[in-house]
Amino acid sequence: MTRELLHDVRGIWEQEAIVIQRRRQRIASESRRKGDAEKIQPVKHSMVGLSLSGGGIRSALFNLGVLQGLSRIGVFRMVDIMSTVSGGGYIGGCLSCLLSLKDPGEGMLEGDDVFSFGPDDKALFNTKWEDFPLRDRPLAGRGPEKCPGNDKPRDDTWTSKFLPRNQMAHLRNHANYLLPGGSHFFEMLRTAGALSLHFLGPFVWFVSFLSILTLCFMGVITAQFEISGLSMNLAPYSANIVGNFYLDCIKAYFASFDLEKALIFAVSMFVVLCAALLLNSFIWIWQKREQHFLSTWFWIFFLTAFTIFTGMGFYDAQSMPYGQGMPCFLLDFFVLSLLNVIMIFLSYGILTFYPGFGTINSRSFLQISAGSFVWLSGIGLLFALLPLLIKMTPGVILPAVQAGLLGGIKYLLHSFAREKRQPSAGRSAGVLARIKNILFSIFVFLFILLFILIIGQLADSIIWDGKWLEENNLSCTFFVVLGLCSLVFWILPAFNFNRISNHYLYRDRLAEAFFQTSAKSGLGKNQDGISGQDTCIVRKTIRMKLSQLHGKQKGARDGSSEADKVAARGPYHIISATLNLTTEHDLKGLKRKTEPFIFSRLFTGSKSTGYVETGSSYSGLTLVRAITISGAAIAPIMGRMTSRLTSFVCTILGMRLGFWLVNPKFLKNGKRDDKIRYWMKPLFKELLGSANASEEYVYISDGGHSGDNLGIIPLLQRRAKLIIASDAECDPEFAFNALNSSMRQIYVDEGVKIDLRNTEEYFRPNEHKFTQRHYLIGRILYPDRPWQASWLMVLKSSLTGDEMTPILNYRKSSPEFPHETTANQFFNEEQFEAYRSLGRHIAYDALKQAIKIQGLLGPKPWSHIDELCRNIEARGRISGKGLLFTLLHHWDDILAAMWDSEQVDFSSWHNFKRYVDMFVGDIPEDVTSDILTLNLKKLHLWLSKNSSRFSVLEAYPVPRSLKEFCRLQERLSEDIPFKLPCKESYWAFSTMEGQNPWLWSHLIVTRL
């Protein structure tokens, strides 16, 4: 089966725009007044986006209030596309699901009928406040009179008619969504059981792997002892006896050197160095890759060296006088590795005699080889000490020490996660972080070492009856135990490790809280015979597929595109997750270790993997699963937070919320479905923190791991004209880390610039930790659209002191509010209301000016976006003296905008005109003209009329602002046939046709 693979956001935006335009047309037809024109604004040049940031349940509840506020003032109906991350996806997914439901009338719908819309079918809810599904006030009509029959299938997608207040009551009851029953005994049993089962899979697999390594090592040592005829009994063990033992080993080792042994050593080292040279050829000559990226040939070289050094130990054991001497072969691995390090050092030293000091490739080859042999030396030293450690360490204390180490590791993991969410400043914080990293590395190393000692002592007791190194034989028991461990190791990966993880516990909790609705209705009798109300489930959309989002259009023609099959109910929803690239060959990807990965109704994928159609490629992908992946905050591979040690620890301890997904590019033509058949390779990659976009499987985790916890990058990639970003991250210092990260990434990747002014002034907390404002608003400059006046508005979770009394009272009981730690995902009713009310208050406070613009209530609200944003900005620019300043932004100057976009050639008038012509050609005829487009068209007309005079104009540089343009005109002769007006303020506003005079009257400097 061949599937189309798109490599660019522009390709998928073409299809998404069709769905959004259909929704606009329906909104316009539903609210059209007599005499209104049919034509509405094209989506691609007037798109309004809303992003809901991550932050767990805190973010979900704050964003719930924001959604309520936007709907109440009529702005939410303008939103064309909604991008959600992590916790913002909880409530965003819930809303999108509710907006996708068909009105069942007096009956009940099941299966696909719930989301299938015919021409005359109505939705159960919509974005208007009167029909908004997330509000407490009852709507016209009645709720369910009786619970659905018990004979209905409980696992299918089904729904009956219910009220928004039923949904709000359900959300309040599930604010503590991870443990909805609180201390209820059965809920605690369910959680404990799930955590235990999800922990067992990867832990048993890892223990079996470690057991195989330990048993193979003990078998090799036993075989060497048997070959040499040695038998050791060092009891009673003491440090003095062990010290003398190794001292005697070292003396015997060097005393046994003769010509034959030296020759064997030389041959072994020569073979290893030849393998290293072969590695050098493959890396530098054939593949020509950068030194950061070693291929499979490195591991071939490493295993070659490992095998030769181990074989040298067998030779040494065989060459010893039978039954005499000390086990010198324990030192062979270490000594051979160390000798190779010395040889590399001598080669490096000889290279310094050359004036050019070799080439980059030759130096890198020697450095990589030296590092490999240092690593092998450490392994050799461990191998030399391990037999005595297994025999000597008191087995009684090992479990206690392991428990202590495990507690320390978990504490440090939580500390790292907390620091990532709330970075600490200062030199002392940096020193403390380095100390924690060192302690973490030591704890993990000791944890693995003690695990090996425990396995070794158990094997000694079971296989050798406690006489390992005394009775040197490989009995049948040894092979049986080794076979059982191997069987477990190879069979366990046949299980689906996506499902044997806490991802599914997390998914089920989210599903029960946000993707089903319970309601009280219908009088009945309880067990005591007393009348009361039954609580029943009236919506169960847990199995809703992503391909059913926004509803399915009935009667779509055969051969029509996937976009034509979407009923377009509600804003188009993009769920942002993270594609992990910890071993990617692109240096930028290696530094970030991530890339945004999206799930949506039409497409799934990222830039590196390509985008495939969701319905045909991931047919079983559900909405709740996509939301869960987007909120996978704790995982072995977490983007920039990934390290080998944290990956190892999170894997074996079952801290696995991420998800392995078949790479979209492999679904294009090679793979039949999106199933992973065998999990050995993904498990090893997860254990080592290894993930990239070139393998058959990709690892997807929390959307915030990509650095875009705000969720605005997908909207910026689609060139939104207005983005409303709800920022509910934990940010008590108002450092705007998520916003800064998103702005940096989109500039580096696509050259998009964002100018938000007065951040420090408006969000400098006073002694009561109150700020001056709840929001920021600024301009966006797209490099390919300098003529489009675009806006970014950030609604920040904050307090100014003008909030309602319950909100301020909750602040007294919780001084951290509204930035309580994300680690707390167990909210109560008081917290629910505090965050919801704050979000609603902030949305209303920031956008209440929208109510004054009558166009927002009409059928074409997208024609008034610029007016709305300039009104909001004007409201905020009030000085202490009460003056309203002119809203002059330097990007309102078309020449300055083109210069700042860094995409226009200002080197000559001919080149400059070519770009102006291109920009004018990109502007559709039906786009509402604002100051930038009007001035661009005037500039284009001026250049066209004066193109014959370019030979004269070449003596002057192309102006980079309207002010410079005016000065140039003054220097030119008066017979130039066309001039631009040349006032230094908003000179074009007074002459713009079709604009709201109420707005422009406020652009004059007036005393309030």
Side-chain angles (χ1 to χ4, degrees), residues 74 153 177 188 258 281 360 362 431 462 511 515 528 563 604 811 839 981 991 999:
Y177 72 101
M188 294 177 66
D258 53 17
S281 299
I360 293 178
S362 61
V431 173
I462 295 171
F515 292 89
D528 299 325
T604 295
R811 171 65 175 273
T991 62
L999 170 66

Side-chain angles (χ1 to χ4, degrees), residues 756-799:
L756 291 170
R757 298 178 179 177
N758 304 317
T759 305
E760 180 67 24
E761 176 186 350
Y762 294 146
F763 286 91
R764 185 187 299 115
N766 59 21
E767 64 275 11
H768 302 293
K769 297 185 178 179
F770 291 158
T771 60
Q772 292 187 30
R773 275 170 49 175
H774 292 301
Y775 67 94
L776 292 170
I777 187 166
R779 291 289 296 275
I780 305 170
L781 178 63
Y782 296 117
D784 53 339
R785 294 186 184 184
W787 48 267
Q788 177 178 304
S790 305
W791 300 82
L792 172 64
M793 184 176 191
V794 181
L795 307 179
K796 185 68 173 177
S797 180
S798 56
L799 295 173

Side-chain angles (χ1 to χ4, degrees), residues 804-817:
M804 294 186 296
T805 303
I807 300 176
L808 298 177
N809 285 344
Y810 178 74
R811 171 65 175 273
K812 295 176 182 178
S813 63
S814 179
E816 295 82 12
F817 175 80

Side-chain angles (χ1 to χ4, degrees), residues 80-313:
D80 299 302
I81 192 165
M82 181 169 61
S83 170
T84 63
V85 180
S86 189
Y90 300 173
I91 196 65
C94 175
L95 177 59
S96 291
C97 178
L98 291 168
L99 294 176
S100 304
L101 301 178
K102 184 169 66 176
D103 190 341
E106 299 300 324
M108 187 176 70
L109 300 173
E110 297 181 58
D112 290 341
D113 290 339
V114 175
F115 309 108
S116 298
F117 288 83
D120 300 324
D121 290 332
K122 295 182 179 180
L124 184 58
F125 304 107
N126 59 50
T127 56
K128 291 194 296 186
W129 183 238
E130 293 78 7
D131 302 312
F132 195 62
L134 300 175
R135 56 178 297 187
D136 289 297
R137 183 181 175 183
L139 303 181
R142 295 178 297 176
E145 297 180 354
K146 60 180 181 178
C147 293
N150 294 329
D151 58 333
K152 296 298 180 183
R154 308 301 292 180
D155 291 329
D156 285 349
T157 302
W158 59 276
T159 185
S160 60
K161 198 164 187 177
F162 60 99
L163 297 177
R165 62 179 177 183
N166 300 137
Q167 179 60 43
M168 288 299 296
H170 181 87
L171 290 177
R172 284 190 176 89
N173 292 336
H174 288 78
N176 185 11
Y177 72 101
L178 286 179
L179 201 61
S183 59
H184 193 279
F185 179 68
F186 292 106
E187 283 295 337
M188 294 177 66
L189 279 181
R190 178 187 173 193
T191 302
L195 292 175
S196 301
L197 292 173
H198 299 156
F199 160 76
L200 279 177
F203 184 75
V204 170
W205 175 80
F206 169 73
V207 170
S208 66
F209 175 63
L210 211 58
S211 299
I212 292 171
L213 295 181
T214 306
L215 287 171
C216 288
F217 170 76
M218 296 178 74
V220 168
I221 298 298
T222 299
Q224 291 175 333
F225 268 67
E226 188 173 3
I227 291 171
S228 61
L230 292 175
S231 178
M232 294 174 47
N233 185 356
L234 302 177
Y237 306 122
S238 68
N240 189 33
I241 293 175
V242 174
N244 291 331
F245 169 77
Y246 279 106
L247 185 61
D248 292 338
C249 272
I250 294 171
K251 290 179 181 179
Y253 185 81
F254 288 105
S256 65
F257 254 90
D258 53 17
L259 183 60
E260 181 183 358
K261 190 171 182 177
L263 184 61
I264 296 296
F265 260 63
V267 171
S268 300
M269 293 171 64
F270 176 75
V271 172
V272 171
L273 289 176
C274 285
L277 288 171
L278 187 64
L279 164 74
N280 177 60
S281 299
F282 275 104
I283 291 179
W284 303 117
I285 298 176
W286 293 1
Q287 296 184 8
K288 298 185 181 302
R289 288 184 176 177
E290 297 182 78
Q291 63 187 30
H292 308 79
F293 314 112
L294 299 179
S295 66
T296 309
W297 293 104
F298 169 78
W299 296 107
I300 294 176
F301 150 71
F302 190 84
L303 291 175
T304 302
F306 188 93
T307 304
I308 290 174
F309 293 168
T310 305
M312 188 62 204

Side-chain angles (χ1 to χ4, degrees), residues 27 31 33 73-75 77-78 847-865 867-869:
I27 291 175
S31 57
R33 295 184 294 264
I73 60 179
V75 172
R77 67 193 293 262
M78 292 176 60
L847 287 156
K848 59 187 177 184
Q849 287 291 91
I851 304 173
K852 299 180 180 179
I853 300 179
Q854 297 300 317
L856 294 183
L857 304 179
K860 298 185 291 183
W862 303 276
S863 303
H864 303 272
I865 295 172
E867 296 176 48
L868 168 65
C869 296

